[in-house]
Amino acid sequence: GESVGLHLPTLSVQEGDNSIINCAYSNSASDYFIWYKQESGKGPQFIIDIRSNMDKRQGQRVTVLLNKTVKHLSLQIAATQPGDSAVYFCALTNDYKLSFGAGTTVTVRA
Amino acid sequence: DVKVTQSSRYLVKRTGEKVFLECVQDMDHENMFWYRQDPGLGLRLIYFSYDVKMKEKGDIPEGYSVSREKKERFSLILESASTNQTSMYLCASTRPGQNYEQYFGPGTRLTVT
């Protein structure tokens, strides 16, 4: 099956700083690469996606970078806020399915 | 606002019991999915359905079955619950061709004793 790995299981960041969450993958044939956010007690929520023919995409306070050469995906969160505390999952399309990484728990320090 | 609901937030069952987990979506989505979520393993796909009465096995279908009699409802069935099926179960739905943007329910935490 598809392998999706995260570099760090936890990340602690000071409020107001930028956060960077990383993810590595093994399947070069994926069309989409996606980030989900899961807050405590809730299901994962779609944040942003990037197509395989792009290397950068920006949303509201978030930027996703895709480096297909080294098979690396990252999510950058600008000016991290307490509401950004959550588990973040990277995922990629695998035919009609999604393959998820194990998740990085982000904790924002006041 | 889109919504995916799951029948229970918490469920405790005994080994050997038959367990039904229900999921309902109100977005008229064709595709629906069942995942289990375990610490350190992320989300793993159990089964999915792309239409009424259609189902496809995911990555870990053993010990589970599903039912999709109506478009809005997708049920996960544990025929004979075992302790290794203690987990968080998540349901999701999506439009065809947009599997990258899945809408998830809040999850059911199942404990099998």
Side-chain angles (χ1 to χ4, degrees):
Chain A
E2 177 53 48
S3 174
V4 184
L6 279 163
H7 292 185
L8 289 174
T10 61
L11 177 67
S12 179
V13 61
Q14 187 71 36
E15 181 178 356
D17 287 352
N18 296 336
S19 305
I20 300 177
I21 308 166
N22 295 300
C23 184
Y25 63 92
S26 61
N27 185 0
S28 301
S30 296
D31 291 327
Y32 286 90
F33 300 82
I34 312 106
W35 284 98
Y36 281 83
K37 173 186 180 182
Q38 185 177 26
E39 296 175 88
S40 181
K42 297 183 179 180
Q45 183 177 16
F46 173 89
I47 302 173
I48 191 169
D49 68 277
I50 186 169
R51 289 200 69 166
S52 58
N53 60 356
M54 300 172 65
D55 52 22
K56 181 178 180 179
R57 189 176 184 203
Q58 288 185 291
Q60 188 176 11
R61 277 200 310 118
V62 295
T63 300
V64 58
L65 299 177
L66 176 63
N67 185 329
K68 294 182 287 296
T69 302
V70 296
K71 298 182 181 178
H72 183 269
L73 180 72
S74 68
L75 178 72
Q76 300 177 5
I77 304 173
T80 310
Q81 302 170 359
D84 295 326
S85 290
V87 180
Y88 291 81
F89 294 96
C90 63
L92 49 86
T93 53
N94 182 9
D95 290 332
Y96 35 75
K97 303 182 293 184
L98 287 182
S99 295
F100 285 84
T104 291
T105 300
V106 173
T107 303
V108 180
R109 305 189 307 272
Chain B
D1 197 15
V2 298
K3 199 158 187 180
V4 179
T5 57
Q6 296 183 228
S7 51
S8 305
R9 293 302 303 270
Y10 299 94
L11 208 53
V12 180
K13 295 291 183 180
R14 293 190 180 276
T15 301
E17 280 193 85
K18 190 169 186 176
V19 182
F20 293 86
L21 302 182
E22 304 284 339
C23 174
V24 177
Q25 50 95 4
D26 65 359
M27 297 163 282
D28 202 35
H29 285 169
E30 279 80 2
N31 300 338
M32 297 187 74
F33 305 81
W34 274 107
Y35 296 89
R36 64 176 283 175
Q37 181 178 15
D38 299 289
L41 297 178
L43 280 69
R44 293 180 292 166
L45 181 65
I46 305 171
Y47 266 97
F48 69 100
S49 168
Y50 52 86
D51 202 352
V52 175
K53 296 194 185 297
M54 304 301 289
K55 60 184 179 183
E56 293 284 344
K57 292 180 180 179
D59 298 319
I60 51 165
E62 296 77 20
Y64 303 94
S65 63
V66 290
S67 173
R68 183 114 183 255
E69 296 297 319
K70 293 185 178 181
K71 188 176 186 180
E72 67 271 18
R73 188 180 298 269
F74 191 34
S75 302
L76 179 70
I77 303 155
L78 286 67
E79 296 290 342
S80 177
S82 63
T83 54
N84 62 12
Q85 293 179 308
T86 290
S87 186
M88 171 67 81
Y89 289 88
L90 290 161
C91 174
S93 72
T94 188
R95 302 181 192 92
Q98 292 189 331
N99 280 351
Y100 54 88
E101 186 173 357
Q102 298 194 1
Y103 295 87
F104 283 85
T108 295
R109 181 160 298 281
L110 172 68
T111 302
V112 182
T113 62

